[in-house]
Amino acid sequence: MSKVVGVRFKEGGKIYYFDPLEFEIKTGDGVIVDTARGIVFGDVAEPPHFIPDEQLVTQLKPVIRVATPEDHEQRRIYREKEKDAFEICQTKIEEHGLVMKLVEVEYAFNGSKIMFYFTADGRVDFRELVKDLASIFKTRIELRQIGVRDEAKMLGGLGVCGRPICCSSFLSDFIPVSIKMAKEQNLSLNQTKISGICGRLMCCLKFEQSGYESMHKIMPRVGKEVITPDGNGIVVDNNVISETTTVKVQLSDGTFEMKTFPFRELMNKAGKPFCDECPGCENGCPANAEEPFENTEPIEEAPSESADTGDGTGGDTL
């Protein structure tokens, strides 16, 4: 077991682990740490705790110190300078006629480097722009092209649900999202209705997918013949949220009627229930064993490369 402290460098960004040494650190404190990108100011997202050694990717780097009032003031000053740097860079982009959109400017903690994040449809030759910026700021300049998902994460905004978008509020990593998820959740396949403000499929499609997958394993398939409390019928539709099944039931007079039942009240032709409480359900409901659920459609949205301060995945060490 190793003692670690979780540090985040951007709001909603990934969490990286460091050795807290003997410092008294609590959530929300500022700390100065040494990373692959130099000395960085970070905010404590997880207080010191122990994790298994196998979860560590590389050897832990130690926390240099808990941030002092002078460190906080230095970060505030550079954040004010970022606003001016943004305007200057935007002006230079227009002067050079570059087809790119400036998204954010970030100063290194000690001012040794300025990073300019931008989006563009293709490759951009910004060599002359870098020379101009270096002559103005007299420090190292780095331009980094990011994707539309990274742009949404940096700028924030409100989703169709009316809440702040997930990627800028709590998601530390972009997750793969596929159109298959929208189909399984019976959502409209209208691209405008299932896309976020970044124009890509909404990350929240992934949140309930595991629940839908587990329910689809035990609920009767559409088209299956089932036994209902009112007689035999054919499954027409399933509602995962209400855990109900709509069945086309044949009445005693030979006519048919659409009825909805809690799916656990139904049985298959063998008289076995469609539920997760019968014997043998550890390997899936026997009623559906011959038709295992498989999510075989290819992933449409690959995870985006997060423009975070660190290098690696959440929980990595720097």
Side-chain angles (χ1 to χ4, degrees), residues 181 185 205-217 240 293:
M181 297 176 184
Q185 297 173 35
L205 292 177
K206 178 70 174 180
F207 296 165
E208 297 180 357
Q209 183 61 19
S210 60
Y212 276 88
E213 289 178 356
S214 62
M215 289 299 295
H216 279 302
K217 289 179 181 178
V240 173
F293 176 82

Side-chain angles (χ1 to χ4, degrees), residues 148-189:
V148 290
R149 301 182 85 186
D150 297 303
E151 179 185 9
K153 183 180 181 68
M154 287 182 171
L155 299 181
L158 297 178
V160 294
C161 58
R163 297 177 60 85
I165 55 177
C166 303
C167 60
S168 68
S169 54
F170 67 89
L171 279 184
S172 59
D173 290 300
F174 290 116
I175 50 181
V177 185
S178 71
I179 197 69
K180 176 73 173 181
M181 297 176 184
K183 294 179 181 178
E184 292 297 334
Q185 297 173 35
N186 292 323
L187 299 176
S188 169
L189 298 185

Side-chain angles (χ1 to χ4, degrees), residues 4-183:
V4 301
V5 60
V7 179
R8 181 175 282 141
F9 302 105
K10 285 180 175 292
E11 185 177 352
K14 301 175 185 178
I15 295 177
Y16 299 89
Y17 291 144
F18 294 87
D19 185 348
L21 300 179
E22 300 303 321
F23 292 113
E24 294 185 4
I25 305 174
K26 60 181 183 297
T27 302
D29 285 348
V31 290
I32 308 301
V33 294
D34 184 13
T35 73
R37 298 176 184 243
I39 306 300
V40 180
F41 188 116
D43 296 298
V44 176
E46 297 178 1
H49 60 284
F50 290 92
I51 64 172
D53 292 332
E54 53 268 23
Q55 292 186 16
L56 299 177
V57 179
T58 60
Q59 185 176 0
L60 287 173
K61 290 186 177 182
V63 171
I64 297 176
R65 65 177 182 274
V66 177
T68 64
E70 291 76 16
D71 292 327
H72 284 279
E73 179 63 18
Q74 181 173 321
R75 182 167 72 162
R76 186 194 65 79
I77 291 174
Y78 280 120
R79 284 186 172 177
E80 289 295 326
K81 289 184 176 181
E82 289 171 357
K83 300 175 184 179
D84 295 332
F86 187 98
E87 296 178 359
I88 293 173
C89 184
Q90 186 63 54
T91 300
K92 290 298 180 182
I93 290 174
E94 296 172 358
E95 290 179 0
H96 288 278
L98 298 176
V99 183
M100 56 190 289
K101 178 184 176 183
L102 185 62
V103 177
E104 187 176 271
V105 177
E106 179 183 345
Y107 265 86
F109 171 65
N110 56 5
S112 61
K113 179 175 64 174
I114 311 177
M115 288 179 287
F116 296 86
Y117 298 97
F118 71 94
T119 59
D121 292 334
R123 295 181 62 86
V124 179
D125 184 0
F126 47 70
R127 288 174 293 183
E128 294 302 320
L129 174 62
V130 171
K131 292 179 182 179
D132 282 357
L133 295 176
S135 64
I136 294 173
F137 296 106
K138 308 297 182 183
T139 188
R140 181 183 170 190
I141 301 296
E142 181 178 328
L143 269 74
R144 183 175 302 173
Q145 186 170 353
I146 61 176
V148 290
R149 301 182 85 186
D150 297 303
E151 179 185 9
K153 183 180 181 68
M154 287 182 171
L155 299 181
L158 297 178
V160 294
C161 58
R163 297 177 60 85
I165 55 177
C166 303
C167 60
S168 68
S169 54
F170 67 89
L171 279 184
S172 59
D173 290 300
F174 290 116
I175 50 181
V177 185
S178 71
I179 197 69
K180 176 73 173 181
M181 297 176 184
K183 294 179 181 178

